Amino acid sequence: MSGTVRHDLPEADDFTRPYWDAAAQGRLLLRRCGTCGRAHHYPREFCPHCWAGEDRVVWEAASGRATLYTWSVIHRNDLPPFGTRVPYTAAVVDLAEGPRMMTEVVDCAAADLRIGMPLTVTFREAADGVWVAVFRPEPGAGQRS
């Protein structure tokens, strides 16, 4: 895969570096506004809710808990390296802190997914030293009764 453009790697910059460094340590970070108190994700320098500036918005550790909002099982994706991982489950989750996040659900058969299913964050190494947040069902949540 050497020399192949990858479409699954983040473009980290000085602003987002704390997020990616925390992910490499197995921690999920959010941004929280000191003016309106709301958390948001993806990381932005300002609050998308009340437009407070970067001096009012800080990084905070997320609990790593979420619920499944929606998902789609991807059976074909020609962009490297996704084609080698199909089928996979692209998902949107509601984080316990409030923000909605695009991600992937792992370690669960598509037939076992349910809206509202409790999930917990885990991290996958996408490339050497680059870790991304994905979610798996909380123990006991991914099995049918």
Side-chain angles (χ1 to χ4, degrees):
M1 196 134 127
S2 178
T4 301
V5 174
R6 294 200 38 190
H7 298 275
D8 66 330
L9 299 179
E11 292 183 25
D13 57 24
D14 288 342
F15 171 69
T16 61
R17 181 99 29 235
Y19 177 85
W20 297 111
D21 288 349
Q25 298 167 5
R27 297 181 304 118
L28 180 62
L29 293 184
L30 300 173
R31 300 278 287 166
R32 184 169 300 275
C33 178
T35 298
C36 71
R38 293 177 69 183
H40 64 269
H41 185 81
Y42 63 92
R44 284 162 272 198
E45 293 173 337
F46 62 92
C47 176
H49 306 290
C50 74
W51 296 95
E54 64 183 297
D55 62 321
R56 301 292 303 144
V57 184
V58 297
W59 293 104
E60 82 173 22
S63 67
R65 292 177 294 113
T67 58
L68 185 59
Y69 176 75
T70 191
W71 74 92
S72 181
V73 178
I74 309 301
H75 294 278
R76 180 178 175 151
N77 187 335
D78 296 330
L79 296 174
F82 297 105
T84 62
R85 294 201 319 239
V86 293
Y88 62 91
T89 303
V92 177
V93 300
D94 288 328
L95 299 174
E97 293 79 9
R100 194 164 272 169
M101 177 180 178
M102 292 180 66
T103 187
E104 184 177 339
V105 174
V106 297
D107 301 333
C108 186
D112 291 333
L113 295 170
R114 300 289 180 263
I115 291 173
M117 170 185 273
L119 304 169
T120 189
V121 74
T122 189
F123 294 85
R124 175 179 58 224
E125 191 171 24
D128 188 32
V130 179
W131 293 79
V132 295
V134 295
F135 285 78
R136 65 169 49 121
E138 286 187 355
Q143 292 84 28
R144 288 198 220 200
S145 24

